[in-house]
Amino acid sequence: MPTPQTLPSQPLISFIVTTYNIEVDLLRECFDSILSLSLAKEEREIIVVDDGSDEAPLNELLELRDEIIYIRQANQGLSVARNMGLRCATGRFVQFVDGDDYIIRAPYEHCLDIARYQETDIVLFYETQKSHPEVPWMFDGPVSGVAYMHQNNLRASACGYIFRRAILGSLRFSPGILHEDEEFTPQLMLRAEHVYSTKSEAYFYRKRHDSIMESHDKRHTAKRLTDMMGIILHLKEVAETAPEIDRVALNRRIAQLSSDYLYNTIKLTHSRHQLSEAIEQLRQHGLYPLPDKRYTKRYTTFRWLVSNALGRQLLLSTVR
């Protein structure tokens, strides 16, 4: 009589690591930071999505071939790479990691423990450029994602939280746009019933001067602003058909993104004409003047300045 086979257990967490022309030493540092966590091999999977690098890094990472799932695709951008990772992920939770960044062990272990031992949909933490931050062991929650968005200025980076894969449903990143996290994260939060927030600085973000978001090329600047406006309008469409409690939460986020859109127009163009055009675009969609809400001190101050000609001139001359 055949012996019953034991089905493999589901990993606790899938790390989706995206890479495009990233130095092998940085990738190795990223993988080592994940492998150093207190996760047994069966508790984790590391899915590496190479978005068409000029040279595949796998040949220089042979010592890690048994630890990673390597997928290579034609260059299609970060959104498509992350979506591919989601298609392959089997873990109960998901963590996105950019291949030139890494996980900081002690504060991340704190967040993992919340995912392990609490009824959790999302665990929020901070990104940092400090290699050895302090570890605050306290956390807040649980609250629903909607309740969190009512009370807090959302940090949208998709690398800044662990999330339960089951809450995704059909939600995916939109291909071909910049600021894709700004569109994805608010919609993910609406699906979450149990959100925990921490002060842990658990993710090391490496600021690269040659990265796409650091580019000041005029065409790139125009795309950044166009994509940002498109995200604002898409979230507005979502809000218009959402239940009232979700709509209030999304409207706060839309107001903050509209403020960021005007601020970035000033910072990236220093053009009175382009600022006027950006204001008019928002006005046509009922998004300007910015809502008179005291969301944050920064929002309140910026709203007052951008609402009058003298304040706009001051912003154009001082924002760098």
Side-chain angles (χ1 to χ4, degrees):
M1 189 171 179
T3 304
Q5 292 187 345
T6 302
L7 293 174
S9 59
Q10 182 184 28
L12 173 68
I13 184 165
S14 299
F15 294 91
I16 298 175
V17 180
T18 50
T19 178
Y20 172 69
N21 286 345
I22 293 175
E23 296 171 24
V24 172
D25 287 346
L26 297 183
L27 279 174
R28 187 175 282 110
E29 185 177 20
C30 175
F31 299 146
D32 287 347
S33 75
I34 297 171
L35 294 170
S36 72
L37 298 170
S38 61
L39 291 164
K41 188 170 183 177
E42 62 271 14
E43 289 185 294
R44 67 167 188 261
E45 62 180 4
I46 305 173
I47 301 169
V48 183
V49 184
D50 179 355
D51 188 39
S53 296
D54 295 339
E55 295 184 12
L58 190 61
N59 291 335
E60 298 182 63
L61 297 167
L62 292 179
E63 75 277 13
L64 297 173
R65 64 185 180 275
D66 293 332
E67 302 288 351
I68 65 177
I69 300 166
Y70 178 79
I71 301 164
R72 182 170 168 84
Q73 64 178 30
N75 180 245
Q76 299 173 76
L78 180 58
S79 290
V80 176
R82 284 176 172 171
N83 290 342
M84 174 60 75
L86 288 173
R87 186 187 306 173
C88 300
T90 65
R92 285 194 286 131
F93 293 92
V94 171
Q95 172 69 62
F96 290 113
V97 187
D98 291 341
D100 50 352
D101 300 334
Y102 61 83
I103 299 296
I104 304 175
R105 180 173 179 173
Y108 195 82
E109 294 279 9
H110 172 48
C111 299
L112 269 181
D113 282 346
I114 298 172
R116 277 190 179 109
Y117 302 120
Q118 306 293 333
E119 187 176 358
T120 306
D121 289 326
I122 295 178
V123 183
L124 299 165
F125 49 82
Y126 284 84
E127 298 178 349
T128 185
Q129 291 186 288
K130 293 182 285 187
S131 299
H132 302 285
E134 295 182 7
V135 184
W137 298 110
M138 303 298 291
F139 57 84
D140 294 321
V143 298
S144 69
V146 171
Y148 183 87
M149 289 173 66
H150 271 276
Q151 300 297 325
N152 296 275
N153 194 10
L154 188 64
R155 301 186 304 277
S157 170
C159 295
Y161 49 82
I162 301 168
F163 69 93
R164 185 179 296 276
R165 187 166 58 90
I167 71 172
L168 264 177
S170 61
L171 179 63
R172 294 295 184 271
F173 293 89
S174 293
I177 66 170
L178 302 174
H179 302 288
E180 61 280 328
D181 295 7
E182 295 286 6
E183 182 182 57
F184 178 87
T185 298
Q187 295 181 86
L188 185 69
M189 289 290 285
L190 294 181
R191 299 161 184 249
E193 293 299 326
H194 302 93
V195 175
Y196 290 85
S197 58
T198 76
K199 300 292 186 184
S200 296
E201 295 177 318
Y203 183 96
F204 185 88
Y205 168 71
R206 199 184 305 275
K207 189 172 182 180
R208 297 170 64 194
H209 296 295
D210 61 343
S211 73
I212 190 167
M213 296 310 292
E214 291 296 310
S215 172
H216 295 287
D217 173 81
K218 286 185 178 181
R219 289 175 61 186
H220 175 75
T221 294
K223 179 169 175 54
R224 281 186 65 178
L225 296 174
T226 298
D227 287 353
M228 198 168 185
M229 187 67 202
I231 288 167
I232 291 168
L233 296 181
H234 179 230
L235 292 178
K236 183 174 182 290
E237 286 180 9
V238 173
E240 286 170 351
T241 58
E244 183 177 0
I245 189 169
D246 292 13
R247 184 163 58 250
V248 173
L250 267 181
N251 282 340
R252 170 173 177 152
R253 188 61 191 156
I254 290 164
Q256 291 164 338
L257 286 175
S258 297
S259 171
D260 290 346
Y261 171 65
L262 295 177
Y263 179 85
N264 282 324
T265 299
I266 294 167
K267 183 176 181 179
L268 295 172
T269 71
H270 300 290
S271 165
R272 184 184 293 105
H273 174 70
Q274 288 192 244
L275 177 57
S276 296
E277 284 194 342
I279 287 172
E280 186 56 33
Q281 272 193 299
L282 291 175
R283 193 195 306 275
Q284 289 174 6
H285 295 281
L287 298 172
Y288 184 90
L290 299 175
D292 187 7
K293 304 285 187 180
R294 297 185 181 276
Y295 293 138
T296 64
K297 288 183 178 178
R298 178 178 177 178
Y299 173 87
T300 302
T301 301
F302 182 81
R303 178 193 176 278
W304 180 80
L305 287 169
V306 83
S307 64
N308 64 85
L310 185 59
R312 291 193 290 272
Q313 182 56 46
L314 180 64
L315 289 166
L316 285 164
S317 61
T318 58
V319 171
R320 291 290 181 268

Short mmCIF file of all heavy atoms in Angstrom, two decimals, residues 187-210:
data_model
loop_
_atom_site.label_atom_id
_atom_site.label_comp_id
_atom_site.label_asym_id
_atom_site.label_seq_id
_atom_site.Cartn_x
_atom_site.Cartn_y
_atom_site.Cartn_z
N GLN A 187 -5.35 51.51 -2.55
CA GLN A 187 -6.37 50.50 -2.87
C GLN A 187 -6.15 49.23 -2.07
O GLN A 187 -7.11 48.56 -1.67
CB GLN A 187 -6.34 50.21 -4.38
CG GLN A 187 -6.74 51.40 -5.23
CD GLN A 187 -6.73 51.07 -6.70
OE1 GLN A 187 -7.70 50.56 -7.25
NE2 GLN A 187 -5.61 51.35 -7.35
N LEU A 188 -4.89 48.86 -1.82
CA LEU A 188 -4.61 47.71 -0.96
C LEU A 188 -5.10 47.97 0.46
O LEU A 188 -5.69 47.09 1.10
CB LEU A 188 -3.11 47.41 -0.97
CG LEU A 188 -2.69 46.14 -0.21
CD1 LEU A 188 -3.18 44.89 -0.93
CD2 LEU A 188 -1.17 46.10 -0.02
N MET A 189 -4.86 49.18 0.95
CA MET A 189 -5.28 49.52 2.32
C MET A 189 -6.79 49.41 2.49
O MET A 189 -7.28 48.99 3.55
CB MET A 189 -4.82 50.94 2.67
CG MET A 189 -3.33 51.08 2.87
SD MET A 189 -2.72 50.29 4.37
CE MET A 189 -3.29 51.45 5.61
N LEU A 190 -7.56 49.75 1.46
CA LEU A 190 -9.01 49.65 1.54
C LEU A 190 -9.47 48.21 1.74
O LEU A 190 -10.57 47.97 2.26
CB LEU A 190 -9.66 50.21 0.28
CG LEU A 190 -9.53 51.71 0.01
CD1 LEU A 190 -10.27 52.08 -1.27
CD2 LEU A 190 -10.05 52.55 1.18
N ARG A 191 -8.64 47.25 1.35
CA ARG A 191 -8.99 45.84 1.44
C ARG A 191 -8.58 45.22 2.77
O ARG A 191 -8.88 44.04 3.02
CB ARG A 191 -8.33 45.07 0.29
CG ARG A 191 -8.77 45.55 -1.09
CD ARG A 191 -7.80 45.11 -2.18
NE ARG A 191 -8.22 45.66 -3.47
CZ ARG A 191 -8.69 44.93 -4.47
NH1 ARG A 191 -8.80 43.62 -4.36
NH2 ARG A 191 -9.05 45.50 -5.60
N ALA A 192 -7.86 45.97 3.60
CA ALA A 192 -7.29 45.42 4.82
C ALA A 192 -8.19 45.69 6.03
O ALA A 192 -8.63 46.81 6.23
CB ALA A 192 -5.91 46.04 5.07
N GLU A 193 -8.42 44.65 6.81
CA GLU A 193 -9.22 44.78 8.04
C GLU A 193 -8.37 44.88 9.28
O GLU A 193 -8.81 45.38 10.31
CB GLU A 193 -10.18 43.59 8.17
CG GLU A 193 -11.27 43.55 7.11
CD GLU A 193 -12.18 44.77 7.16
OE1 GLU A 193 -12.42 45.28 8.27
OE2 GLU A 193 -12.63 45.23 6.09
N HIS A 194 -7.13 44.39 9.21
CA HIS A 194 -6.26 44.35 10.39
C HIS A 194 -4.89 44.92 10.01
O HIS A 194 -4.04 44.22 9.46
CB HIS A 194 -6.11 42.93 10.92
CG HIS A 194 -7.41 42.28 11.28
ND1 HIS A 194 -8.13 41.50 10.41
CD2 HIS A 194 -8.14 42.35 12.43
CE1 HIS A 194 -9.22 41.08 11.01
NE2 HIS A 194 -9.28 41.58 12.22
N VAL A 195 -4.72 46.21 10.28
CA VAL A 195 -3.47 46.91 9.96
C VAL A 195 -2.74 47.23 11.26
O VAL A 195 -3.34 47.78 12.20
CB VAL A 195 -3.73 48.21 9.17
CG1 VAL A 195 -2.44 48.99 8.96
CG2 VAL A 195 -4.40 47.89 7.84
N TYR A 196 -1.47 46.88 11.32
CA TYR A 196 -0.60 47.23 12.44
C TYR A 196 0.46 48.21 11.92
O TYR A 196 1.03 48.01 10.84
CB TYR A 196 0.09 45.99 13.01
CG TYR A 196 -0.85 45.06 13.73
CD1 TYR A 196 -1.59 44.10 13.04
CD2 TYR A 196 -1.01 45.14 15.12
CE1 TYR A 196 -2.45 43.25 13.70
CE2 TYR A 196 -1.87 44.29 15.79
CZ TYR A 196 -2.59 43.35 15.08
OH TYR A 196 -3.45 42.51 15.73
N SER A 197 0.73 49.23 12.70
CA SER A 197 1.76 50.20 12.32
C SER A 197 2.86 50.20 13.37
O SER A 197 2.59 50.10 14.57
CB SER A 197 1.17 51.61 12.16
OG SER A 197 0.54 52.04 13.35
N THR A 198 4.09 50.29 12.90
CA THR A 198 5.25 50.29 13.78
C THR A 198 6.13 51.50 13.46
O THR A 198 5.99 52.12 12.41
CB THR A 198 6.10 49.01 13.59
OG1 THR A 198 6.86 49.13 12.37
CG2 THR A 198 5.22 47.76 13.52
N LYS A 199 7.02 51.79 14.38
CA LYS A 199 8.04 52.82 14.15
C LYS A 199 9.35 52.20 13.67
O LYS A 199 10.35 52.89 13.53
CB LYS A 199 8.30 53.61 15.44
CG LYS A 199 7.08 54.32 16.01
CD LYS A 199 6.62 55.46 15.12
CE LYS A 199 5.50 56.25 15.77
NZ LYS A 199 4.98 57.32 14.90
N SER A 200 9.33 50.90 13.42
CA SER A 200 10.54 50.19 13.04
C SER A 200 11.09 50.69 11.71
O SER A 200 10.34 50.80 10.73
CB SER A 200 10.26 48.69 12.93
OG SER A 200 9.89 48.15 14.18
N GLU A 201 12.37 50.97 11.67
CA GLU A 201 13.05 51.31 10.42
C GLU A 201 13.68 50.02 9.91
O GLU A 201 14.81 49.69 10.22
CB GLU A 201 14.10 52.40 10.67
CG GLU A 201 13.46 53.72 11.11
CD GLU A 201 14.50 54.78 11.43
OE1 GLU A 201 15.53 54.45 12.07
OE2 GLU A 201 14.29 55.94 11.05
N ALA A 202 12.89 49.29 9.13
CA ALA A 202 13.21 47.90 8.83
C ALA A 202 13.72 47.68 7.42
O ALA A 202 14.10 46.56 7.08
CB ALA A 202 11.97 47.03 9.07
N TYR A 203 13.73 48.71 6.61
CA TYR A 203 14.08 48.56 5.19
C TYR A 203 15.09 49.62 4.82
O TYR A 203 14.83 50.83 4.96
CB TYR A 203 12.81 48.70 4.35
CG TYR A 203 12.99 48.49 2.85
CD1 TYR A 203 12.74 47.25 2.28
CD2 TYR A 203 13.39 49.53 2.01
CE1 TYR A 203 12.89 47.04 0.91
CE2 TYR A 203 13.55 49.33 0.65
CZ TYR A 203 13.29 48.09 0.10
OH TYR A 203 13.45 47.90 -1.25
N PHE A 204 16.26 49.18 4.34
CA PHE A 204 17.30 50.13 3.94
C PHE A 204 17.10 50.52 2.49
O PHE A 204 17.19 49.68 1.58
CB PHE A 204 18.70 49.53 4.12
CG PHE A 204 19.80 50.52 3.84
CD1 PHE A 204 20.27 51.35 4.84
CD2 PHE A 204 20.34 50.63 2.57
CE1 PHE A 204 21.28 52.28 4.58
CE2 PHE A 204 21.34 51.55 2.30
CZ PHE A 204 21.81 52.38 3.31
N TYR A 205 16.80 51.79 2.30
CA TYR A 205 16.56 52.34 0.96
C TYR A 205 17.83 53.02 0.48
O TYR A 205 18.32 53.95 1.11
CB TYR A 205 15.40 53.33 1.00
CG TYR A 205 15.26 54.16 -0.25
CD1 TYR A 205 14.83 53.59 -1.44
CD2 TYR A 205 15.56 55.52 -0.25
CE1 TYR A 205 14.70 54.35 -2.59
CE2 TYR A 205 15.43 56.29 -1.39
CZ TYR A 205 15.01 55.69 -2.55
OH TYR A 205 14.89 56.44 -3.70
N ARG A 206 18.36 52.54 -0.62
CA ARG A 206 19.60 53.10 -1.18
C ARG A 206 19.24 54.13 -2.23
O ARG A 206 18.69 53.80 -3.28
CB ARG A 206 20.45 51.99 -1.80
CG ARG A 206 21.90 52.36 -2.00
CD ARG A 206 22.63 51.23 -2.71
NE ARG A 206 22.51 49.95 -2.05
CZ ARG A 206 23.30 49.54 -1.05
NH1 ARG A 206 24.26 50.32 -0.60
NH2 ARG A 206 23.13 48.34 -0.51
N LYS A 207 19.52 55.39 -1.95
CA LYS A 207 19.22 56.45 -2.89
C LYS A 207 20.32 56.50 -3.94
O LYS A 207 21.47 56.77 -3.65
CB LYS A 207 19.11 57.80 -2.18
CG LYS A 207 18.59 58.92 -3.06
CD LYS A 207 18.32 60.18 -2.24
CE LYS A 207 17.74 61.27 -3.13
NZ LYS A 207 17.45 62.51 -2.36
N ARG A 208 19.93 56.23 -5.17
CA ARG A 208 20.89 56.21 -6.27
C ARG A 208 20.70 57.44 -7.15
O ARG A 208 19.60 57.73 -7.60
CB ARG A 208 20.72 54.94 -7.11
CG ARG A 208 20.98 53.67 -6.35
CD ARG A 208 20.56 52.44 -7.14
NE ARG A 208 21.35 52.30 -8.36
CZ ARG A 208 21.02 51.47 -9.34
NH1 ARG A 208 19.92 50.76 -9.28
NH2 ARG A 208 21.78 51.38 -10.42
N HIS A 209 21.78 58.16 -7.41
CA HIS A 209 21.70 59.39 -8.19
C HIS A 209 21.41 59.13 -9.67
O HIS A 209 20.99 60.02 -10.39
CB HIS A 209 22.99 60.20 -8.04
CG HIS A 209 23.23 60.67 -6.63
ND1 HIS A 209 22.40 61.58 -6.00
CD2 HIS A 209 24.17 60.32 -5.73
CE1 HIS A 209 22.84 61.80 -4.77
NE2 HIS A 209 23.91 61.05 -4.58
N ASP A 210 21.63 57.87 -10.10
CA ASP A 210 21.35 57.54 -11.50
C ASP A 210 19.99 56.86 -11.66
O ASP A 210 19.67 56.36 -12.73
CB ASP A 210 22.44 56.63 -12.07
CG ASP A 210 22.55 55.30 -11.32
OD1 ASP A 210 22.02 55.21 -10.18
OD2 ASP A 210 23.16 54.37 -11.86
#
